[in-house]
Amino acid sequence: MPSSWPPDEPTRWSIVLPREPGATRTARTAVEGWLARAPAGVRADARSLVTELVGNAIEFGRPPIRVRMERKPTHWLLEVADAGTAQARRGTRFRQSGWGLRIVELLAESWGTGENGARVWCRIPAVPVRARARDA
């Protein structure tokens, strides 16, 4: 775990959002605050991930939208859930939608769905994907 995390700081955060376009901005601001002392690359990846996942929840889900983040020893866990039942799907070459999950796939260490597809989680590594690719 990065040494920038004092042991007395919280390890879990959450926020409930309405299903409206401004929710993505609110989620990004919340994640930025939660990860204020995390490495810049982790914050950037987390902002992109929460933007895509909350955007999907706004477009395909039902309110309320819940964003949860938890610090683990080797990664951060980000979850976005809504009250809908639509299954999250990746975009294909011929589909115009679903590309948000492709972005999630590229930035997250791993990701998956639960609760009838209305919850999407992803693991954000302590060393950002962009830094790993650059160092490889």
Side-chain angles (χ1 to χ4, degrees), residues 9 22-23 28 32 35 46 53-54 73 87-88 91 94 103-105 115 122 124 129 136:
E9 287 198 5
R28 276 192 307 272
E32 183 68 29
L35 299 180
L53 295 178
V54 170
Q87 180 67 36
F94 302 106
I103 293 169
V104 171
E105 197 168 66
E115 300 170 14
C122 60
I124 305 166
V129 170

Side-chain angles (χ1 to χ4, degrees), residues 12-87:
R12 293 183 186 167
W13 306 267
S14 64
I15 189 171
V16 177
L17 303 166
R19 186 179 174 210
E20 62 184 33
T24 55
R25 181 177 51 251
T26 302
R28 276 192 307 272
T29 300
V31 165
E32 183 68 29
W34 298 339
L35 299 180
R37 297 180 70 180
V42 169
R43 288 193 319 270
D45 288 350
R47 278 191 311 268
S48 296
L49 289 163
V50 79
T51 297
E52 295 302 332
L53 295 178
V54 170
N56 282 354
I58 290 168
E59 187 171 349
F60 302 109
R62 291 191 336 213
I65 298 166
R66 291 180 174 81
V67 177
R68 185 175 83 86
M69 181 157 261
E70 185 173 352
R71 177 172 43 106
K72 302 283 191 174
T74 61
H75 64 277
W76 286 265
L77 178 65
L78 172 64
E79 293 181 352
V80 176
D82 64 71
T85 58
Q87 180 67 36

Side-chain angles (χ1 to χ4, degrees), residues 116-131:
N116 298 325
R119 178 176 64 90
V120 179
W121 60 267
C122 60
R123 289 173 51 143
I124 305 166
V127 177
V129 170
R130 293 175 201 145

